[in-house]
Amino acid sequence: MKKIVFDFNHIPDLAAFYADFARQFALGSQFGANLDALWDEVTGGIALPVEIDFINLNAGRKRRFGSLVLLFEEAEEELEGALRFNLFDKSPVKPKG
């Protein structure tokens, strides 16, 4: 399963998130950069299966990006295992070895 990571230490606003999403999924300039376009891509445009991690998403950022969190949670439920969505307050610690 392909893994995509969005690091919110480097994503200050929704415009930056949409730009990063388009870059990581190699979307062209036709990507609408709004919640409706994002939903369309996540549920029918991008290659699945995929795991998407939001890292460094502390409480303040969760409020600012709450609409994204809700969208990905709903997509995870709708796609029944083809999309895994994870939230981390900090970067996850990688196991040694």
Side-chain angles (χ1 to χ4, degrees):
M1 180 178 285
K2 183 177 180 179
K3 182 179 233 176
I4 303 291
V5 176
F6 294 96
D7 183 349
F8 284 83
N9 279 341
H10 304 288
I11 299 174
D13 54 31
L14 284 172
F17 173 82
Y18 292 131
D20 195 23
F21 183 88
R23 180 187 61 77
Q24 291 206 57
F25 285 101
L27 304 177
S29 60
Q30 77 281 0
F31 176 61
N34 60 59
L35 286 174
D36 289 332
L38 182 62
W39 177 260
D40 291 344
E41 288 297 331
V42 170
T43 60
I46 62 174
L48 298 172
V50 66
E51 182 172 2
I52 295 177
D53 289 353
F54 281 15
I55 64 170
N56 297 310
L57 194 65
N58 61 27
R61 291 177 182 149
K62 280 181 188 172
R63 282 190 295 278
R64 185 177 328 143
F65 295 103
S67 58
L68 295 178
V69 172
L70 289 172
L71 183 142
F72 280 97
E73 288 174 342
E74 284 186 37
E76 180 180 41
E77 190 173 312
E78 183 165 310
L79 294 170
E80 300 176 346
L83 169 72
R84 276 196 275 172
F85 175 61
N86 305 300
L87 289 173
F88 299 101
D89 285 346
K90 298 178 182 173
S91 297
V93 176
K94 293 182 181 175
K96 294 181 181 179

Coordinates of all heavy atoms in Angstrom, one line a residue:
M1 N 0.9 -1.2 0.0 CA 0.0 0.0 0.0 C 0.9 1.2 0.0 O 1.8 1.4 0.8 CB -0.9 0.0 1.2 CG -1.8 1.2 1.3 SD -3.0 1.2 2.7 CE -4.2 0.0 2.2
K2 N 0.6 2.1 -0.9 CA 1.4 3.4 -1.0 C 1.1 4.3 0.2 O -0.1 4.3 0.6 CB 1.0 4.1 -2.3 CG 1.8 5.4 -2.6 CD 1.4 5.9 -3.9 CE 2.1 7.2 -4.2 NZ 1.8 7.8 -5.5
K3 N 2.1 4.9 0.7 CA 1.9 5.8 1.9 C 2.2 7.3 1.4 O 3.3 7.5 0.9 CB 2.8 5.4 3.0 CG 2.6 6.3 4.3 CD 3.4 5.8 5.4 CE 2.6 5.6 6.6 NZ 3.3 5.0 7.7
I4 N 1.4 8.2 1.8 CA 1.6 9.6 1.5 C 1.5 10.3 2.8 O 0.6 10.1 3.6 CB 0.5 10.2 0.6 CG1 0.4 9.4 -0.8 CG2 0.6 11.6 0.4 CD1 1.6 9.6 -1.7
V5 N 2.5 11.2 3.1 CA 2.5 11.9 4.3 C 2.4 13.4 4.1 O 3.1 14.0 3.2 CB 3.9 11.6 5.0 CG1 4.0 12.5 6.3 CG2 4.0 10.2 5.4
F6 N 1.5 14.1 4.9 CA 1.4 15.5 4.9 C 1.9 16.0 6.2 O 1.3 15.7 7.2 CB -0.1 15.9 4.6 CG -0.6 15.5 3.2 CD1 -1.3 14.4 3.1 CD2 -0.3 16.3 2.2 CE1 -1.7 14.0 1.8 CE2 -0.7 16.0 0.9 CZ -1.5 14.8 0.7
D7 N 3.0 16.8 6.2 CA 3.6 17.3 7.4 C 3.1 18.8 7.6 O 3.5 19.7 6.9 CB 5.1 17.3 7.3 CG 5.8 17.8 8.5 OD1 5.1 18.3 9.4 OD2 7.0 17.6 8.6
F8 N 2.2 18.9 8.6 CA 1.6 20.2 8.9 C 2.6 21.2 9.5 O 2.2 22.4 9.7 CB 0.3 20.1 9.6 CG -0.8 19.6 8.7 CD1 -0.9 18.2 8.5 CD2 -1.6 20.4 8.1 CE1 -1.9 17.7 7.6 CE2 -2.6 20.0 7.2 CZ -2.7 18.6 7.0
N9 N 3.8 20.9 9.8 CA 4.8 21.9 10.1 C 5.2 22.7 8.9 O 5.8 23.7 9.0 CB 6.1 21.2 10.7 CG 6.0 20.8 12.1 OD1 5.1 21.3 12.8 ND2 6.8 19.9 12.6
H10 N 4.9 22.1 7.7 CA 5.2 22.8 6.4 C 4.0 23.2 5.6 O 4.1 23.5 4.4 CB 6.1 21.9 5.6 CG 7.4 21.5 6.3 ND1 8.4 22.3 6.6 CD2 7.7 20.3 6.9 CE1 9.3 21.7 7.3 NE2 8.9 20.5 7.5
I11 N 2.8 23.0 6.2 CA 1.5 23.4 5.5 C 0.8 24.4 6.4 O 0.1 24.1 7.3 CB 0.7 22.1 5.4 CG1 1.4 21.1 4.5 CG2 -0.7 22.5 4.7 CD1 0.7 19.7 4.4
P12 N 1.0 25.7 6.0 CA 0.4 26.8 6.9 C -1.1 27.0 6.6 O -1.7 27.6 7.5 CB 1.2 28.0 6.4 CG 1.6 27.7 5.0 CD 1.8 26.2 5.0
D13 N -1.6 26.6 5.5 CA -3.0 27.0 5.2 C -3.6 26.0 4.2 O -2.9 25.1 3.7 CB -3.2 28.4 4.7 CG -2.3 28.7 3.5 OD1 -2.0 27.8 2.7 OD2 -1.9 29.9 3.4
L14 N -4.9 26.1 3.9 CA -5.5 25.2 2.9 C -4.9 25.3 1.6 O -4.8 24.2 0.9 CB -7.0 25.5 2.9 CG -7.9 25.0 4.1 CD1 -9.3 25.5 4.0 CD2 -7.8 23.4 4.1
A15 N -4.6 26.4 1.1 CA -4.0 26.6 -0.2 C -2.7 25.7 -0.3 O -2.4 25.1 -1.3 CB -3.7 28.0 -0.6
A16 N -1.9 25.8 0.7 CA -0.6 25.0 0.7 C -0.9 23.5 0.8 O -0.3 22.7 0.1 CB 0.2 25.4 1.9
F17 N -2.0 23.1 1.5 CA -2.4 21.7 1.5 C -2.8 21.2 0.1 O -2.3 20.2 -0.4 CB -3.5 21.4 2.5 CG -4.0 20.0 2.4 CD1 -3.3 18.9 3.0 CD2 -5.0 19.6 1.6 CE1 -3.7 17.6 2.8 CE2 -5.4 18.3 1.4 CZ -4.7 17.3 2.1
Y18 N -3.7 22.0 -0.5 CA -4.1 21.6 -1.9 C -3.0 21.5 -2.8 O -2.9 20.6 -3.7 CB -5.2 22.6 -2.4 CG -6.5 22.5 -1.6 CD1 -7.1 23.7 -1.2 CD2 -7.1 21.3 -1.4 CE1 -8.3 23.6 -0.5 CE2 -8.3 21.3 -0.7 CZ -8.9 22.4 -0.3 OH -10.1 22.4 0.4
A19 N -2.0 22.4 -2.8 CA -0.9 22.4 -3.6 C 0.0 21.1 -3.4 O 0.4 20.5 -4.3 CB 0.0 23.7 -3.5
D20 N 0.2 20.8 -2.1 CA 1.0 19.6 -1.7 C 0.2 18.4 -2.2 O 0.8 17.4 -2.7 CB 1.2 19.6 -0.2 CG 2.3 18.6 0.2 OD1 3.2 18.3 -0.7 OD2 2.4 18.2 1.3
F21 N -1.1 18.3 -2.0 CA -1.9 17.2 -2.4 C -1.7 17.0 -3.9 O -1.5 15.9 -4.4 CB -3.4 17.4 -2.0 CG -4.2 16.2 -2.4 CD1 -4.4 15.1 -1.5 CD2 -4.9 16.2 -3.6 CE1 -5.2 14.1 -1.8 CE2 -5.7 15.1 -3.9 CZ -5.9 14.0 -3.0
A22 N -1.9 18.0 -4.7 CA -1.8 18.0 -6.1 C -0.4 17.5 -6.5 O -0.3 16.7 -7.5 CB -2.1 19.3 -6.8
R23 N 0.6 18.0 -5.9 CA 2.0 17.6 -6.2 C 2.2 16.1 -5.9 O 2.7 15.3 -6.7 CB 3.0 18.4 -5.4 CG 4.5 18.1 -5.6 CD 5.4 18.8 -4.7 NE 5.2 18.5 -3.3 CZ 5.6 17.4 -2.7 NH1 6.2 16.5 -3.3 NH2 5.4 17.2 -1.4
Q24 N 1.8 15.7 -4.7 CA 2.1 14.3 -4.3 C 1.3 13.3 -5.1 O 1.8 12.1 -5.2 CB 1.8 14.1 -2.8 CG 2.8 14.8 -1.9 CD 3.0 14.2 -0.5 OE1 3.3 13.0 -0.4 NE2 2.7 15.0 0.5
F25 N 0.1 13.6 -5.6 CA -0.7 12.7 -6.4 C -0.5 13.0 -7.9 O -1.3 12.5 -8.7 CB -2.1 12.7 -5.9 CG -2.3 12.0 -4.7 CD1 -2.5 12.7 -3.5 CD2 -2.4 10.6 -4.6 CE1 -2.6 12.0 -2.3 CE2 -2.5 9.9 -3.4 CZ -2.7 10.6 -2.3
A26 N 0.4 13.9 -8.3 CA 0.7 14.2 -9.6 C -0.6 14.6 -10.4 O -0.9 14.2 -11.5 CB 1.4 13.1 -10.3
L27 N -1.4 15.5 -9.8 CA -2.6 16.0 -10.4 C -2.2 17.2 -11.3 O -1.3 18.0 -10.9 CB -3.6 16.4 -9.4 CG -4.0 15.3 -8.4 CD1 -5.0 15.9 -7.4 CD2 -4.6 14.1 -9.1
G28 N -2.9 17.4 -12.4 CA -2.6 18.6 -13.2 C -3.2 19.8 -12.7 O -3.8 19.9 -11.6
S29 N -3.1 20.9 -13.5 CA -3.7 22.2 -13.1 C -5.2 22.2 -13.1 O -5.8 23.1 -12.6 CB -3.2 23.3 -14.0 OG -3.6 23.0 -15.4
Q30 N -5.8 21.1 -13.6 CA -7.3 21.0 -13.5 C -7.8 20.8 -12.1 O -9.0 20.9 -11.9 CB -7.8 19.9 -14.5 CG -7.6 18.5 -14.0 CD -6.2 17.9 -14.2 OE1 -5.3 18.6 -14.6 NE2 -6.1 16.7 -13.8
F31 N -7.0 20.4 -11.2 CA -7.4 20.1 -9.8 C -8.0 21.4 -9.2 O -7.3 22.4 -9.2 CB -6.3 19.6 -9.0 CG -6.7 19.4 -7.5 CD1 -7.7 18.5 -7.1 CD2 -6.0 20.1 -6.5 CE1 -8.0 18.3 -5.8 CE2 -6.3 19.9 -5.2 CZ -7.3 19.1 -4.8
G32 N -9.2 21.4 -8.7 CA -9.9 22.6 -8.3 C -9.5 23.2 -7.0 O -9.9 24.3 -6.7
A33 N -8.7 22.5 -6.2 CA -8.2 23.1 -4.9 C -9.3 23.6 -4.0 O -9.3 24.7 -3.6 CB -7.2 24.2 -5.2
N34 N -10.3 22.7 -3.8 CA -11.4 23.0 -2.9 C -11.9 21.7 -2.3 O -11.5 20.6 -2.8 CB -12.5 23.8 -3.5 CG -13.2 23.1 -4.7 OD1 -13.7 22.0 -4.5 ND2 -13.1 23.7 -5.9
L35 N -12.8 21.7 -1.3 CA -13.2 20.4 -0.7 C -13.9 19.5 -1.7 O -13.8 18.3 -1.6 CB -14.1 20.7 0.5 CG -13.3 21.3 1.8 CD1 -14.3 21.6 2.8 CD2 -12.3 20.2 2.3
D36 N -14.8 20.1 -2.5 CA -15.5 19.2 -3.5 C -14.5 18.5 -4.5 O -14.6 17.3 -4.7 CB -16.5 20.0 -4.3 CG -17.7 20.5 -3.5 OD1 -18.0 19.8 -2.5 OD2 -18.3 21.5 -3.8
A37 N -13.5 19.2 -5.0 CA -12.6 18.6 -5.9 C -11.7 17.6 -5.1 O -11.4 16.6 -5.7 CB -11.7 19.7 -6.5
L38 N -11.4 17.9 -3.9 CA -10.6 17.0 -3.1 C -11.4 15.7 -2.9 O -10.8 14.6 -3.0 CB -10.2 17.6 -1.7 CG -9.4 16.8 -0.8 CD1 -8.0 16.5 -1.4 CD2 -9.2 17.5 0.5
W39 N -12.6 15.8 -2.5 CA -13.5 14.6 -2.3 C -13.5 13.8 -3.6 O -13.4 12.6 -3.6 CB -14.9 15.0 -1.9 CG -15.8 13.8 -1.8 CD1 -16.7 13.4 -2.7 CD2 -15.9 12.9 -0.7 NE1 -17.4 12.3 -2.2 CE2 -16.9 12.0 -1.0 CE3 -15.2 12.8 0.5 CZ2 -17.2 10.9 -0.1 CZ3 -15.6 11.8 1.4 CH2 -16.5 10.9 1.1
D40 N -13.7 14.4 -4.7 CA -13.8 13.7 -6.0 C -12.5 13.0 -6.3 O -12.5 11.8 -6.7 CB -14.0 14.7 -7.2 CG -15.5 15.2 -7.1 OD1 -16.3 14.7 -6.4 OD2 -15.7 16.3 -7.8
E41 N -11.3 13.6 -6.0 CA -10.0 12.9 -6.2 C -9.8 11.8 -5.2 O -9.4 10.7 -5.6 CB -8.9 13.9 -6.1 CG -8.8 14.9 -7.3 CD -8.5 14.2 -8.6 OE1 -7.9 13.1 -8.6 OE2 -8.9 14.8 -9.6
V42 N -10.1 12.0 -4.0 CA -9.9 11.0 -3.0 C -10.8 9.8 -3.2 O -10.3 8.6 -3.0 CB -10.1 11.6 -1.5 CG1 -10.1 10.5 -0.5 CG2 -9.0 12.6 -1.2
T43 N -12.0 10.0 -3.6 CA -12.9 8.8 -3.7 C -13.0 8.3 -5.1 O -13.7 7.3 -5.3 CB -14.3 9.2 -3.2 OG1 -14.8 10.3 -4.0 CG2 -14.3 9.6 -1.8
G44 N -12.4 8.9 -6.1 CA -12.5 8.3 -7.4 C -11.4 8.7 -8.4 O -11.4 8.2 -9.5
G45 N -10.4 9.5 -8.0 CA -9.4 10.0 -8.9 C -8.0 9.4 -8.6 O -7.3 9.0 -9.6
I46 N -7.7 9.3 -7.4 CA -6.3 8.9 -7.0 C -6.2 7.3 -7.0 O -7.3 6.7 -6.9 CB -5.8 9.4 -5.7 CG1 -6.7 8.9 -4.5 CG2 -5.8 10.9 -5.7 CD1 -6.2 9.3 -3.1
A47 N -5.0 6.8 -7.2 CA -4.8 5.4 -7.2 C -5.0 4.8 -5.8 O -4.4 5.4 -4.9 CB -3.4 5.1 -7.8
L48 N -5.8 3.8 -5.7 CA -6.0 3.1 -4.4 C -5.4 1.7 -4.5 O -5.3 1.2 -5.6 CB -7.5 3.1 -4.1 CG -8.2 4.4 -3.9 CD1 -9.7 4.2 -3.8 CD2 -7.6 5.2 -2.7
P49 N -5.0 1.1 -3.4 CA -5.1 1.5 -2.1 C -4.0 2.5 -1.7 O -2.9 2.5 -2.3 CB -5.0 0.2 -1.2 CG -4.1 -0.6 -2.1 CD -4.5 -0.3 -3.5
V50 N -4.3 3.3 -0.7 CA -3.3 4.3 -0.2 C -3.5 4.6 1.3 O -4.6 4.5 1.8 CB -3.5 5.7 -1.0 CG1 -4.8 6.3 -0.8 CG2 -2.3 6.6 -0.7
E51 N -2.4 4.8 1.9 CA -2.5 5.3 3.3 C -2.0 6.7 3.4 O -1.0 7.1 2.8 CB -1.5 4.4 4.2 CG -1.5 4.7 5.6 CD -0.8 3.7 6.5 OE1 -0.2 2.8 5.9 OE2 -0.8 3.9 7.7
I52 N -2.8 7.5 4.1 CA -2.5 9.0 4.2 C -2.3 9.3 5.6 O -3.2 9.0 6.5 CB -3.6 9.8 3.5 CG1 -3.7 9.5 2.0 CG2 -3.4 11.3 3.8 CD1 -4.8 10.2 1.3
D53 N -1.1 9.9 5.9 CA -0.8 10.3 7.3 C -0.8 11.8 7.3 O -0.2 12.5 6.5 CB 0.6 9.8 7.7 CG 0.6 8.3 8.0 OD1 -0.4 7.7 7.9 OD2 1.7 7.8 8.2
F54 N -1.5 12.4 8.3 CA -1.3 13.8 8.6 C -0.4 13.8 9.9 O -0.8 13.3 10.9 CB -2.7 14.4 9.0 CG -3.5 14.8 7.8 CD1 -3.3 14.4 6.5 CD2 -4.6 15.7 8.0 CE1 -4.1 14.7 5.5 CE2 -5.5 16.0 7.0 CZ -5.2 15.6 5.7
I55 N 0.8 14.4 9.8 CA 1.7 14.5 10.9 C 1.8 15.9 11.4 O 1.6 16.8 10.6 CB 3.0 13.8 10.6 CG1 3.8 14.5 9.6 CG2 2.9 12.3 10.3 CD1 5.3 14.1 9.4
N56 N 2.2 16.0 12.7 CA 2.4 17.3 13.3 C 1.1 18.2 13.2 O 1.2 19.4 12.9 CB 3.6 18.1 12.7 CG 4.9 17.3 12.9 OD1 5.2 17.0 14.0 ND2 5.6 17.1 11.8
L57 N 0.0 17.5 13.5 CA -1.3 18.2 13.5 C -1.8 18.3 14.9 O -2.5 17.5 15.4 CB -2.3 17.4 12.6 CG -3.6 18.1 12.3 CD1 -3.3 19.3 11.3 CD2 -4.5 17.1 11.6
N58 N -1.3 19.4 15.6 CA -1.6 19.6 17.0 C -3.0 20.1 17.1 O -3.7 20.3 16.1 CB -0.6 20.5 17.6 CG -0.5 21.9 17.0 OD1 -1.5 22.3 16.4 ND2 0.6 22.5 17.1
A59 N -3.5 20.4 18.3 CA -4.9 20.8 18.6 C -5.2 22.1 17.8 O -6.3 22.1 17.2 CB -5.1 21.0 20.0
G60 N -4.4 23.0 17.8 CA -4.6 24.3 17.1 C -4.8 24.1 15.6 O -5.7 24.6 14.9
R61 N -3.9 23.3 15.0 CA -4.0 23.0 13.6 C -5.2 22.1 13.3 O -5.7 22.2 12.2 CB -2.7 22.3 13.1 CG -1.5 23.2 13.2 CD -0.2 22.5 12.8 NE 0.9 23.4 12.9 CZ 2.2 23.1 13.2 NH1 2.4 21.8 13.4 NH2 3.1 23.9 13.2
K62 N -5.6 21.2 14.2 CA -6.7 20.4 13.9 C -8.0 21.3 13.8 O -8.8 21.0 13.0 CB -7.0 19.4 15.1 CG -6.1 18.2 15.0 CD -6.4 17.2 16.2 CE -5.4 16.1 16.2 NZ -5.6 15.3 17.4
R63 N -8.0 22.4 14.5 CA -9.2 23.3 14.4 C -9.1 24.0 13.0 O -10.1 24.1 12.3 CB -9.2 24.3 15.5 CG -9.7 23.8 16.8 CD -9.9 24.9 17.8 NE -8.7 25.6 18.2 CZ -7.9 25.1 19.2 NH1 -8.1 24.0 19.8 NH2 -6.8 25.7 19.5
R64 N -7.9 24.4 12.6 CA -7.7 25.1 11.3 C -8.0 24.2 10.1 O -8.6 24.6 9.1 CB -6.3 25.7 11.2 CG -6.1 26.5 10.0 CD -4.7 27.2 9.9 NE -4.2 27.5 11.1 CZ -2.8 27.4 11.4 NH1 -2.0 27.0 10.5 NH2 -2.3 27.7 12.6
F65 N -7.6 22.9 10.3 CA -7.8 22.0 9.1 C -8.8 20.9 9.4 O -8.8 19.9 8.8 CB -6.4 21.3 8.9 CG -5.4 22.3 8.4 CD1 -4.4 22.7 9.3 CD2 -5.4 22.7 7.1 CE1 -3.4 23.6 8.9 CE2 -4.4 23.6 6.7 CZ -3.4 24.1 7.5
G66 N -9.8 21.3 10.3 CA -10.8 20.3 10.6 C -11.6 19.8 9.4 O -12.0 18.6 9.4
S67 N -11.9 20.6 8.5 CA -12.7 20.2 7.3 C -11.9 19.1 6.5 O -12.5 18.2 6.0 CB -13.0 21.4 6.4 OG -11.8 22.0 5.9
L68 N -10.6 19.2 6.5 CA -9.8 18.1 5.8 C -9.9 16.8 6.6 O -10.0 15.8 6.0 CB -8.3 18.6 5.7 CG -8.0 19.8 4.8 CD1 -6.5 20.0 4.8 CD2 -8.5 19.5 3.4
V69 N -9.7 16.9 7.9 CA -9.8 15.7 8.8 C -11.1 15.0 8.6 O -11.2 13.8 8.3 CB -9.6 16.1 10.2 CG1 -9.8 14.9 11.1 CG2 -8.1 16.7 10.4
L70 N -12.2 15.8 8.6 CA -13.5 15.2 8.4 C -13.7 14.5 7.0 O -14.2 13.4 6.9 CB -14.6 16.2 8.6 CG -14.9 16.7 10.0 CD1 -15.8 17.9 10.1 CD2 -15.3 15.6 10.9
L71 N -13.2 15.2 6.0 CA -13.3 14.7 4.7 C -12.5 13.3 4.6 O -13.1 12.3 4.0 CB -12.7 15.7 3.7 CG -12.8 15.2 2.2 CD1 -13.1 16.4 1.3 CD2 -11.5 14.5 1.7
F72 N -11.3 13.3 5.1 CA -10.5 12.0 5.0 C -11.1 10.9 5.9 O -11.1 9.8 5.5 CB -9.1 12.3 5.3 CG -8.3 12.8 4.1 CD1 -8.1 14.2 4.0 CD2 -7.9 12.0 3.1 CE1 -7.4 14.7 2.9 CE2 -7.2 12.5 2.0 CZ -7.0 13.9 1.9
E73 N -11.7 11.3 7.0 CA -12.4 10.3 7.9 C -13.6 9.7 7.1 O -13.8 8.5 7.2 CB -12.7 10.9 9.2 CG -11.6 11.1 10.1 CD -11.9 11.8 11.4 OE1 -13.0 12.5 11.5 OE2 -11.1 11.8 12.3
E74 N -14.4 10.5 6.5 CA -15.5 10.1 5.7 C -15.1 9.2 4.5 O -15.7 8.2 4.3 CB -16.4 11.2 5.3 CG -17.2 11.9 6.3 CD -18.2 12.9 5.8 OE1 -18.7 12.8 4.7 OE2 -18.3 13.9 6.5
A75 N -14.0 9.6 3.9 CA -13.6 8.9 2.7 C -13.1 7.5 3.1 O -13.3 6.5 2.5 CB -12.5 9.7 2.0
E76 N -12.4 7.5 4.3 CA -11.9 6.2 4.8 C -13.0 5.2 5.0 O -13.0 4.0 4.7 CB -11.1 6.4 6.1 CG -10.5 5.1 6.7 CD -9.7 5.4 8.0 OE1 -10.2 6.2 8.8 OE2 -8.7 4.8 8.1
E77 N -14.1 5.7 5.6 CA -15.3 4.9 5.9 C -15.9 4.5 4.6 O -16.3 3.3 4.4 CB -16.3 5.7 6.7 CG -17.4 4.8 7.3 CD -18.2 5.6 8.2 OE1 -17.7 6.3 9.2 OE2 -19.5 5.6 8.1
E78 N -16.1 5.4 3.6 CA -16.8 5.1 2.4 C -16.0 4.1 1.5 O -16.5 3.2 0.8 CB -17.0 6.3 1.6 CG -17.8 6.0 0.3 CD -18.4 7.3 -0.3 OE1 -19.1 8.0 0.4 OE2 -18.2 7.5 -1.5
L79 N -14.6 4.2 1.6 CA -13.8 3.4 0.7 C -13.5 2.0 1.3 O -12.8 1.2 0.7 CB -12.5 4.1 0.3 CG -12.8 5.4 -0.6 CD1 -11.5 6.2 -0.7 CD2 -13.3 5.0 -1.9
E80 N -14.0 1.7 2.5 CA -13.9 0.4 3.1 C -12.6 -0.3 3.0 O -12.5 -1.4 2.4 CB -15.0 -0.5 2.5 CG -16.4 0.1 2.7 CD -17.5 -0.7 2.0 OE1 -17.2 -1.6 1.1 OE2 -18.7 -0.5 2.4
G81 N -11.5 0.3 3.4 CA -10.2 -0.3 3.5 C -9.3 0.1 2.4 O -8.1 -0.2 2.5
A82 N -9.8 0.7 1.3 CA -8.9 1.1 0.2 C -8.1 2.3 0.6 O -7.1 2.7 -0.1 CB -9.7 1.3 -1.1
L83 N -8.6 3.1 1.6 CA -7.9 4.3 2.1 C -7.8 4.1 3.6 O -8.7 3.8 4.3 CB -8.7 5.5 1.8 CG -8.3 6.8 2.5 CD1 -7.0 7.3 1.8 CD2 -9.3 7.9 2.4
R84 N -6.5 4.3 4.1 CA -6.3 4.4 5.5 C -5.9 5.8 5.8 O -5.0 6.3 5.2 CB -5.2 3.4 5.9 CG -5.8 2.0 6.2 CD -4.8 1.1 7.0 NE -3.9 0.5 6.0 CZ -2.8 -0.1 6.4 NH1 -2.5 -0.3 7.6 NH2 -2.0 -0.7 5.4
F85 N -6.4 6.4 6.9 CA -6.1 7.7 7.2 C -5.7 7.8 8.7 O -6.4 7.2 9.6 CB -7.4 8.6 7.0 CG -7.2 10.0 7.5 CD1 -6.3 10.8 6.9 CD2 -8.0 10.5 8.5 CE1 -6.1 12.2 7.4 CE2 -7.9 11.8 9.0 CZ -6.9 12.6 8.4
N86 N -4.5 8.4 8.9 CA -4.0 8.5 10.3 C -3.6 9.9 10.6 O -3.2 10.7 9.8 CB -2.7 7.7 10.4 CG -2.9 6.2 9.9 OD1 -3.7 5.5 10.5 ND2 -2.2 5.8 8.9
L87 N -3.9 10.3 11.9 CA -3.5 11.6 12.4 C -2.5 11.4 13.5 O -2.6 10.5 14.4 CB -4.7 12.2 13.1 CG -5.9 12.7 12.3 CD1 -7.0 13.1 13.2 CD2 -5.4 13.9 11.4
F88 N -1.5 12.2 13.5 CA -0.4 12.2 14.5 C -0.1 13.6 14.9 O 0.1 14.5 14.1 CB 0.9 11.6 13.9 CG 0.7 10.2 13.5 CD1 0.6 9.9 12.1 CD2 0.7 9.1 14.4 CE1 0.5 8.6 11.7 CE2 0.6 7.8 14.0 CZ 0.5 7.5 12.6
D89 N -0.1 13.8 16.3 CA 0.3 15.2 16.8 C 1.7 15.5 16.5 O 2.1 16.6 16.3 CB 0.1 15.2 18.3 CG -1.4 15.3 18.7 OD1 -2.2 15.6 17.9 OD2 -1.7 15.1 19.9
K90 N 2.5 14.5 16.4 CA 4.0 14.6 16.1 C 4.3 13.6 15.0 O 3.5 12.7 14.7 CB 4.8 14.3 17.4 CG 4.5 15.3 18.5 CD 5.4 15.0 19.7 CE 5.0 16.0 20.8 NZ 5.6 15.7 22.0
S91 N 5.5 13.6 14.5 CA 6.0 12.6 13.6 C 6.0 11.3 14.3 O 6.5 11.2 15.5 CB 7.3 13.0 13.0 OG 7.3 14.1 12.3
P92 N 5.5 10.2 13.7 CA 5.6 8.9 14.4 C 7.0 8.5 14.6 O 7.8 8.7 13.7 CB 4.8 8.0 13.5 CG 4.6 8.7 12.2 CD 4.8 10.2 12.5
V93 N 7.3 7.8 15.7 CA 8.6 7.3 15.9 C 8.8 6.0 15.2 O 7.9 5.1 15.3 CB 8.8 7.0 17.4 CG1 10.2 6.4 17.7 CG2 8.7 8.3 18.2
K94 N 9.8 5.9 14.4 CA 10.1 4.7 13.6 C 10.8 3.7 14.5 O 11.7 4.0 15.3 CB 11.0 5.0 12.4 CG 10.3 5.9 11.4 CD 11.1 6.1 10.2 CE 10.4 7.0 9.2 NZ 11.2 7.4 8.1
P95 N 10.3 2.4 14.4 CA 11.0 1.4 15.3 C 12.4 1.1 14.8 O 12.7 1.3 13.7 CB 10.1 0.1 15.0 CG 9.3 0.4 13.8 CD 9.3 1.9 13.6
K96 N 13.3 0.9 15.8 CA 14.7 0.6 15.5 C 14.8 -0.8 15.0 O 14.1 -1.7 15.4 CB 15.5 0.7 16.8 CG 15.5 2.2 17.3 CD 16.4 2.3 18.5 CE 16.4 3.7 19.0 NZ 17.2 3.9 20.2
G97 N 15.8 -1.0 14.1 CA 16.1 -2.3 13.7 C 15.9 -2.5 12.3 O 15.7 -2.8 11.3

